[in-house]
Amino acid sequence: MTSRIHSPQTSPFFSGYNMLITGGVFNHFNAPHPDMINLHKSADGGFHMLSQAISPGAMHDSSERYPPPRCRNGARAETIAQDVIIWVRKLDPSTTKILWLQGPHNTAKTCTAIAQTVSEVCHAEGQLAGSFFFDQHRCGGDDGCYLFSTLAYQIALNVPGMREHVNLAMAHDPTLPTKSIAVQIQSLIIRPFQQLRSTSAIPLKASMVVVIDGLDQCHGQETQRDILLLIADLASSAHQIPLRFLITSQSKPDIRAAFDNDGLASMTRRIVVDAPSYNDDMSNIQSGFTSSDSTFSCLFHSVINFGYLLNACYKQRPCRFHTVRYGKACVAEASAGMVMCPTCISETPAHRVRSTH
C-alpha cells in the first residue's frame, strides 16, 4: 500500500515537500460526534434520547390529530365521558384499575371522542399520566412498539419525580425503545415508579389515568393481547403503581377473550357503547327544564334522590335507564355501574347502553 503525504515546509519531521511511504496498514477511526458526547454527559441526555424514539402524533394534544373529535354538549358521549371522569377522580383504592370502553364498529368515533374529552379534562386537572391514540390511517399509528415508550415519556413529564428515574434508565441503556414491549414497560415505567416510591419523601398522587384509544387498530392480535396482559401486570396490587387505565376498542373476539382472562376480569369495569338513545334521552331531560321550571326541577330531583336513598337502604342502586328516564340528579351515584333492572329490560329494547363493573 502506498500513500503520498504532502508536508508543510515548516514541519520539523519532514525534510521536503513530498514524502513517499510504502507498506504498512492504514486504519480509519470514526470518532463520536461531539454533540452525541455532550448529549450523554448532559443531565437530561437520556430523556432527550427517549423523546427521539416516541410517537408524538399519538398524543391527545398532537397537531397531527388536529382538530380531534370531542364530545358535544348534550350528546350521549358527553354523559359517558362524565361517568369516566368520575371514575378517575375516585380516591378509593378499591376502585377498579382498568375501564374498558367498548362498542361495535360504528361507535369507534364516539369512543375516540370520549377518550379525547377525558384526556383533556384530566390533563387540565393534573390527573392525566399519558395518552396514546392508535390510528391505522396515520403513518406508524398502528405500531404497538411505540406505546410504552411514548407513555413513559409523558409519565416522566406529568408525574413529579419520574423524569429523573426515566432519564437514568435511558442513560444506562439508550436502546430501550427498541426492545420488546415487555422490556419497555418494565424498564421505563414499572422500575422508575418503584425507584421513585423508595426514594421520594413526597407521596405519589392517589390517582392518575392513562388513556389508550383504539386498541383494536394496533397491528397484530398477539400484540394487542400482550399489551393487555402487560397492563394487567402493571395494574396489579403487587407493584402498587398509582395508575388507572382507560382503554377503548371495538368488541372484537380476541380483545374480549383477553379481558375475560382471570387477571384482567377482576380489575376491569366495562362500559358498552351501542345505543344512541342513552344520552339522547338524558339530553332531552336536561333541555326540558327551563329557568321558569327551576322550582319544579329542584322538587323533581329531590324526589329522585329520595328514591335513590330508598334503594340504597335495600343495598340496591337505581339502574342506568331509570336515571336517564326520570332525572339526572343521581347520575354520579348511579354511575358506579349497575345493569338495567328487570322492569326496564321488559319495557325497553335490549340495545341500550349498560355499565357493569
Side-chain angles (χ1 to χ4, degrees), residues 160-324:
M162 277 290 286
R163 182 166 181 157
E164 175 187 355
H165 297 288
V166 173
N167 175 65
L168 290 175
M170 282 296 300
H172 176 72
D173 185 357
T175 67
L176 282 176
T178 68
K179 306 290 188 182
S180 68
I181 58 176
V183 172
Q184 289 185 45
I185 193 173
Q186 180 67 35
S187 302
L188 293 173
I189 299 179
I190 294 178
R191 192 172 297 132
F193 259 115
Q194 292 172 337
Q195 293 169 343
L196 176 63
R197 182 178 292 277
S198 63
T199 60
S200 177
I202 303 174
L204 297 176
K205 287 189 176 182
S207 173
M208 295 191 77
V209 67
V210 171
V211 177
I212 301 175
D213 176 67
L215 180 61
D216 56 282
Q217 296 193 45
C218 174
H219 179 72
Q221 295 177 354
E222 185 176 354
T223 302
Q224 297 171 10
R225 186 191 69 245
D226 289 346
I227 287 172
L228 290 175
L229 295 179
L230 289 170
I231 290 175
D233 176 67
L234 183 151
S236 66
S237 58
H239 296 301
Q240 296 183 341
I241 294 177
L243 291 179
R244 294 178 187 166
F245 290 83
L246 168 63
I247 302 173
T248 78
S249 75
Q250 294 181 31
S251 303
K252 292 191 173 181
D254 292 318
I255 296 179
R256 281 203 309 271
F259 273 106
D260 289 338
N261 179 278
D262 291 339
L264 269 171
S266 60
M267 64 177 69
T268 302
R269 174 187 169 190
R270 308 184 184 199
I271 295 180
V272 181
V273 183
D274 59 2
S277 55
Y278 175 75
N279 243 3
D280 293 343
D281 288 347
M282 176 61 74
S283 178
N284 291 336
I285 290 176
Q286 293 177 357
S287 61
F289 291 126
T290 63
S291 57
S292 61
D293 297 325
S294 58
T295 303
F296 173 75
S297 175
C298 292
L299 177 61
F300 179 82
H301 291 158
S302 298
V303 172
I304 294 300
N305 283 331
F306 179 72
Y308 174 74
L309 292 174
L310 288 178
N311 278 325
C313 292
Y314 290 95
K315 297 184 179 181
Q316 298 176 351
R317 294 190 181 103
C319 81
R320 294 297 295 274
F321 184 60
H322 266 113
T323 304
V324 171

Side-chain angles (χ1 to χ4, degrees), residues 87-157:
W87 169 78
V88 173
R89 290 170 177 166
K90 285 184 177 179
L91 301 179
D92 185 357
S94 64
T95 303
T96 51
K97 301 295 287 290
I98 300 172
L99 194 155
W100 179 29
L101 191 64
Q102 58 174 311
H105 176 71
N106 60 353
T107 61
K109 291 183 178 179
T110 300
C111 290
T112 299
I114 294 170
Q116 178 69 31
T117 299
V118 171
S119 296
E120 292 177 352
V121 172
C122 291
H123 178 71
E125 296 180 353
Q127 289 187 290
L128 180 67
S131 60
F132 195 99
F133 287 72
F134 283 104
D135 185 355
Q136 60 188 4
H137 301 296
R138 187 182 68 248
C139 181
D142 61 348
D143 192 346
C145 294
Y146 286 108
L147 173 62
F148 293 121
S149 59
T150 304
L151 291 177
Y153 174 80
Q154 296 172 82
I155 289 172
L157 288 176

